[in-house]
Amino acid sequence: MTIQIEGFAQTLARCLDFEGVPPDALEAVLIETGLPLQLQVAEPSSETPLIASGSAFTQLYFVQHGTLAPWQFPHSELAAPFLVGIHELLMDAERWVGSYSAVDEAVVVGIPIGVMTRVVERIPSVRERMHELLMRRLSRFYWVSLATNGSPSARVAAALVSRLALDDLDFGRDRTIAMRQKDIGRLTTMSRSAVAAGLAELAEAEAITWGDAASGRFKGEVSVPDVESLKERAFRDVRKREIGPLIAGRGRD
């Protein structure tokens, strides 16, 4: 179903990619292109994705209502308002990299590449913001890759840094992370007891604290005195088990 541009920009401007952009300026560019925007209701399906990896990339999808999930481990939930296709747009991709399904009944708006290309040309701050968000997400995925292997403490440390990376705060001192224990378990693919053991070891090493005492009950908020120290904990296993032997092996050639 084709939607009216007038008024839609108010909704689209709520997306992080358009932070700071006046809705009327965004609406003017959308109208200027003259290309229609298509609204559709996406039904949840684990068999037939809304977006299929390898299919032609002809439009971006704005999640106006509901949630999409990319087919990946660990899983992510892209809740409205969210714009899917930024990576493909900035890389001039011809095909979708991943597959996505609706988690529940979702309302999405298809925005042709030509429309979004005109938006980033007319409003340069949009491209800059998209690039910033994309780099944050890529940084998060890097740290998540470290969170799925190694000792409990190293995996928990990487999961915590991944959350900081998403907000571009994975550096410096005195950071606070709001993250539930079950979310750490999802990112690390570990049991609740293993997550608790990892948290306890990091607290004992003074890499993190929570509550009034390190031995107190974990309530979902972690303080990080020094992010570099937490990163060192995350790197501990991969440095010893992978990078060290690899470098030593190269040195013998």
Side-chain angles (χ1 to χ4, degrees), residues 33-44:
T33 65
L35 296 173
L37 309 183
Q38 299 291 330
L39 181 145
Q40 70 180 93
V41 176
E43 299 291 342

Side-chain angles (χ1 to χ4, degrees), residues 8-16 18-23 26 62:
F8 172 69
Q10 293 282 347
T11 303
L12 185 61
R14 292 167 45 222
C15 190
L16 286 175
F18 304 100
E19 187 175 59
V21 177
L26 184 56
F62 173 63

